[in-house]
Amino acid sequence: MTVTAMLVVAPLDDSNADFDAEIANAIDALEEFDVQYETHPMETTIQADELSEVFAAAQAATEAVDASRTLTTLKIDHFREETLDVSEKVERVERHLGRSARSSDDDAESYRG
């Protein structure tokens, strides 16, 4: 079985919170769990073998944010009868596209600023 999740954790309504530092704290908390993760500009993708591990990691990430209010979004794709790595999910789409599922390198550079 494979569990893939999208995790967003952020301080909310706290002018004293250093937004980037608190996001880093949330991501750092994932290191304590048996999950693979990759951070993107809008979310962190998590992969694990067990659903309970994803929930525990998300809870730790939320608790790692030092703010008076924290917003957490967790979206889960739970494959109960199949093992499907996150990279394979992208590769399946790219096979249909016949190309990479991202803009060209020139476009990507302008996107990154």
Side-chain angles (χ1 to χ4, degrees):
M1 121 175 75
T2 304
V3 182
T4 304
M6 178 197 79
L7 176 66
V8 178
V9 179
L12 190 65
D13 296 339
D14 191 335
S15 60
N16 296 320
D18 180 336
F19 190 84
D20 296 334
E22 296 307 328
I23 300 289
N25 289 341
I27 293 167
D28 196 40
L30 300 176
E31 284 292 314
E32 300 299 317
F33 298 88
D34 189 18
V35 298
Q36 295 175 0
Y37 65 90
E38 183 174 344
T39 301
H40 305 279
M42 300 288 292
E43 81 280 333
T44 297
T45 300
I46 299 174
Q47 179 177 298
D49 292 332
E50 299 294 330
L51 183 59
S52 59
E53 198 71 10
V54 171
F55 281 126
Q59 180 176 349
T62 300
E63 292 173 349
V65 174
D66 184 19
S68 58
R69 185 175 176 195
T70 305
L71 175 67
T72 301
T73 304
L74 182 63
K75 183 176 182 178
I76 295 174
D77 186 2
H78 187 189
F79 285 86
R80 295 181 179 163
E81 297 177 4
E82 182 180 3
T83 299
L84 184 62
D85 187 78
V86 291
S87 61
E88 187 178 346
K89 290 172 97 172
V90 174
E91 289 168 4
R92 286 180 173 189
V93 172
E94 289 177 337
R95 279 196 297 272
H96 286 279
L97 285 170
R99 62 175 175 82
S100 175
R102 60 178 6 179
S103 55
S104 70
D105 288 341
D106 292 339
D107 292 341
E109 282 303 315
S110 65
Y111 174 75
R112 287 187 210 113

